[in-house]
Amino acid sequence: GAVVSQHPSWVICKSGTSVKIECRSLDFQATTMFWYRQFPKQSLMLMATSNEGSKATYEQGVEKDKFLINHASLTLSTLTVTSAHPEDSSFYICSASQVQGAAYEQYFGPGTRLTVT
Amino acid sequence: GQNIDQPTEMTATEGAIVQINCTYQTSGFNGLFWYQQHAGEAPTFLSYNVLDGLEEKGRFSSFLSRSKGYSYLLLKELQMKDSASYLCAVLDSNYQLIWGAGTKLIIKP
């Protein structure tokens, strides 16, 4: 149980375009979803926390107008990278929790590798 | 500020034992996690310690000393598939996860 999927698993896009990444909890209701970014040889960096039906809470330094997060249902959250640039190339990972705000109980998705050319 | 330190890289031999250390300085403490992350994949949960002492789970064990702000992950009978990064993460007083940079473990035959 507690499976989280992400789609796509990898994507290549041109600079200036937008990319949408989906995160789904397959067998449980995800009250809270977390979005992380990981650059090569670095640790996970929390970008934002989203609770179903509410606006996402962004970490300091993360542009909310660039990284649009929607958590419209208990099983789906989306991250849209708008006007992507090469420096946005990274590994994006989502995680989901059944308990609101519970960072201690996170189930991770497999990640999405974004390359912006 | 909040800080988690762990070695950048370690090398060990197949069949041997390795200990990966993690020290932390955080605003409050509500538990420490160890995750394993293979290259290009998401982290997978290994252990959670909130009380002092050693927790054993098969070939992997995790130790915590809250007074010293210190934990270690002990891997026994190393296998080639254990080659991965090992991430230490602390849950602070606000129940936010603070992540270490990870330790890349290289297993040699």
Side-chain angles (χ1 to χ4, degrees):
Chain A
V3 178
V4 177
S5 70
Q6 273 184 249
H7 178 81
S9 54
W10 60 269
V11 57
I12 301 173
C13 71
K14 292 186 177 180
S15 186
T17 62
S18 295
V19 174
K20 180 184 283 188
I21 302 171
E22 291 186 352
C23 178
R24 292 182 185 271
S25 56
L26 300 185
D27 52 2
F28 67 100
Q29 293 186 327
T31 309
T32 299
M33 285 188 172
F34 303 87
W35 286 95
Y36 293 88
R37 180 168 53 181
Q38 186 177 34
F39 292 106
K41 298 185 180 181
Q42 295 187 23
S43 190
L44 279 73
M45 292 173 49
L46 180 66
M47 299 176 67
T49 302
S50 73
N51 294 310
E52 184 265 338
S54 303
K55 288 184 178 180
T57 301
Y58 290 80
E59 295 300 302
Q60 193 172 8
V62 178
E63 300 173 59
K64 62 180 180 181
D65 294 330
K66 180 172 179 63
F67 298 98
L68 302 179
I69 292 173
N70 184 284
H71 191 170
S73 79
L74 285 171
T75 59
L76 173 65
S77 176
T78 60
L79 167 67
T80 301
V81 183
T82 63
S83 186
H85 289 95
E87 57 264 31
D88 298 323
S89 297
S90 187
F91 192 47
Y92 291 85
I93 305 172
C94 76
S95 68
S97 172
Q98 298 179 72
V99 180
Q100 185 166 339
Y104 56 84
E105 187 192 271
Q106 296 184 52
Y107 301 98
F108 286 89
T112 296
R113 175 79 55 194
L114 170 63
T115 302
V116 184
T117 61
Chain B
Q2 312 212 80
N3 193 50
I4 295 183
D5 287 316
Q6 45 180 139
T8 305
E9 187 174 296
M10 298 181 71
T11 302
T13 305
E14 190 177 15
I17 299 173
V18 71
Q19 177 175 310
I20 303 174
N21 295 324
C22 170
T23 57
Y24 62 89
Q25 292 174 310
T26 55
S27 55
F29 178 84
N30 281 299
L32 184 144
F33 293 81
W34 283 97
Y35 284 86
Q36 179 190 61
Q37 186 179 26
H38 285 100
E41 299 180 12
T44 56
F45 170 83
L46 289 178
S47 67
Y48 171 67
N49 293 66
V50 67
L51 300 176
D52 290 349
L54 184 68
E55 297 262 351
E56 297 186 71
K57 193 184 294 185
R59 293 190 299 114
F60 293 8
S61 302
S62 56
F63 171 84
L64 174 68
S65 169
R66 289 172 295 173
S67 61
K68 295 182 180 178
Y70 167 70
S71 172
Y72 67 73
L73 181 69
L74 190 72
L75 293 77
K76 303 177 184 177
E77 301 169 17
L78 287 170
Q79 301 175 9
M80 298 303 292
K81 67 178 182 179
D82 297 329
S83 292
S85 287
Y86 291 85
L87 307 177
C88 173
V90 172
L91 205 60
D92 71 6
S93 57
N94 293 320
Y95 289 91
Q96 298 295 313
L97 260 184
I98 311 300
W99 293 86
T103 299
K104 183 179 180 180
L105 177 63
I106 300 169
I107 309 296
K108 294 185 176 180

mmCIF file of all heavy atoms in Angstrom, chain A residues 3-4 6 16 23-25 52 82 89 98 109:
data_model
loop_
_atom_site.group_PDB
_atom_site.id
_atom_site.type_symbol
_atom_site.label_atom_id
_atom_site.label_comp_id
_atom_site.label_asym_id
_atom_site.label_seq_id
_atom_site.Cartn_x
_atom_site.Cartn_y
_atom_site.Cartn_z
ATOM 1 N N VAL A 3 1.151 3.856 -2.333
ATOM 2 C CA VAL A 3 1.928 4.033 -3.555
ATOM 3 C C VAL A 3 1.638 5.412 -4.143
ATOM 4 O O VAL A 3 0.485 5.845 -4.234
ATOM 5 C CB VAL A 3 1.565 2.946 -4.599
ATOM 6 C CG1 VAL A 3 2.347 3.174 -5.892
ATOM 7 C CG2 VAL A 3 1.859 1.566 -4.043
ATOM 8 N N VAL A 4 2.710 6.069 -4.532
ATOM 9 C CA VAL A 4 2.608 7.389 -5.157
ATOM 10 C C VAL A 4 3.247 7.319 -6.544
ATOM 11 O O VAL A 4 4.359 6.803 -6.692
ATOM 12 C CB VAL A 4 3.312 8.459 -4.300
ATOM 13 C CG1 VAL A 4 3.270 9.821 -4.996
ATOM 14 C CG2 VAL A 4 2.660 8.546 -2.930
ATOM 15 N N GLN A 6 4.234 9.398 -10.288
ATOM 16 C CA GLN A 6 4.486 10.688 -10.911
ATOM 17 C C GLN A 6 4.498 10.515 -12.412
ATOM 18 O O GLN A 6 4.960 9.499 -12.936
ATOM 19 C CB GLN A 6 5.851 11.252 -10.472
ATOM 20 C CG GLN A 6 5.817 12.038 -9.195
ATOM 21 C CD GLN A 6 7.140 12.663 -8.843
ATOM 22 O OE1 GLN A 6 7.785 12.264 -7.876
ATOM 23 N NE2 GLN A 6 7.548 13.683 -9.606
ATOM 24 N N GLY A 16 11.497 28.547 -22.158
ATOM 25 C CA GLY A 16 10.351 29.415 -22.359
ATOM 26 C C GLY A 16 9.013 28.712 -22.342
ATOM 27 O O GLY A 16 7.967 29.364 -22.234
ATOM 28 N N CYS A 23 1.320 14.287 -9.733
ATOM 29 C CA CYS A 23 1.637 13.406 -8.608
ATOM 30 C C CYS A 23 0.324 12.811 -8.118
ATOM 31 O O CYS A 23 -0.609 13.545 -7.780
ATOM 32 C CB CYS A 23 2.315 14.213 -7.501
ATOM 33 S SG CYS A 23 2.707 13.278 -6.014
ATOM 34 N N ARG A 24 0.254 11.497 -8.110
ATOM 35 C CA ARG A 24 -0.981 10.825 -7.706
ATOM 36 C C ARG A 24 -0.732 9.827 -6.585
ATOM 37 O O ARG A 24 0.244 9.064 -6.617
ATOM 38 C CB ARG A 24 -1.581 10.057 -8.890
ATOM 39 C CG ARG A 24 -2.102 10.925 -10.004
ATOM 40 C CD ARG A 24 -2.726 10.095 -11.123
ATOM 41 N NE ARG A 24 -3.116 10.934 -12.241
ATOM 42 C CZ ARG A 24 -4.299 11.509 -12.346
ATOM 43 N NH1 ARG A 24 -5.204 11.349 -11.400
ATOM 44 N NH2 ARG A 24 -4.586 12.256 -13.401
ATOM 45 N N SER A 25 -1.630 9.825 -5.607
ATOM 46 C CA SER A 25 -1.618 8.768 -4.596
ATOM 47 C C SER A 25 -2.591 7.708 -5.093
ATOM 48 O O SER A 25 -3.756 7.992 -5.362
ATOM 49 C CB SER A 25 -2.047 9.323 -3.234
ATOM 50 O OG SER A 25 -3.315 9.928 -3.318
ATOM 51 N N GLU A 52 -4.969 19.642 0.388
ATOM 52 C CA GLU A 52 -6.069 19.534 -0.548
ATOM 53 C C GLU A 52 -7.063 20.671 -0.352
ATOM 54 O O GLU A 52 -7.499 20.932 0.778
ATOM 55 C CB GLU A 52 -6.750 18.172 -0.392
ATOM 56 C CG GLU A 52 -7.861 17.918 -1.392
ATOM 57 C CD GLU A 52 -9.232 18.274 -0.835
ATOM 58 O OE1 GLU A 52 -9.388 18.320 0.397
ATOM 59 O OE2 GLU A 52 -10.142 18.507 -1.647
ATOM 60 N N THR A 82 6.487 27.125 -15.095
ATOM 61 C CA THR A 82 6.147 28.057 -16.168
ATOM 62 C C THR A 82 7.399 28.740 -16.699
ATOM 63 O O THR A 82 8.350 28.991 -15.954
ATOM 64 C CB THR A 82 5.149 29.118 -15.680
ATOM 65 O OG1 THR A 82 5.780 29.885 -14.635
ATOM 66 C CG2 THR A 82 3.889 28.479 -15.128
ATOM 67 N N SER A 89 16.336 22.887 -14.787
ATOM 68 C CA SER A 89 16.600 21.458 -15.006
ATOM 69 C C SER A 89 16.964 20.823 -13.665
ATOM 70 O O SER A 89 17.900 21.271 -12.993
ATOM 71 C CB SER A 89 17.749 21.276 -16.004
ATOM 72 O OG SER A 89 17.412 21.814 -17.270
ATOM 73 N N GLN A 98 -1.111 11.006 4.375
ATOM 74 C CA GLN A 98 -2.537 10.878 4.667
ATOM 75 C C GLN A 98 -2.965 11.835 5.762
ATOM 76 O O GLN A 98 -4.137 12.190 5.879
ATOM 77 C CB GLN A 98 -2.845 9.442 5.112
ATOM 78 C CG GLN A 98 -2.540 8.407 4.057
ATOM 79 C CD GLN A 98 -2.840 7.005 4.550
ATOM 80 O OE1 GLN A 98 -3.983 6.620 4.688
ATOM 81 N NE2 GLN A 98 -1.796 6.242 4.816
ATOM 82 N N GLY A 109 7.016 9.695 -4.448
ATOM 83 C CA GLY A 109 6.856 9.285 -5.836
ATOM 84 C C GLY A 109 8.216 8.965 -6.425
ATOM 85 O O GLY A 109 9.252 9.234 -5.802
#
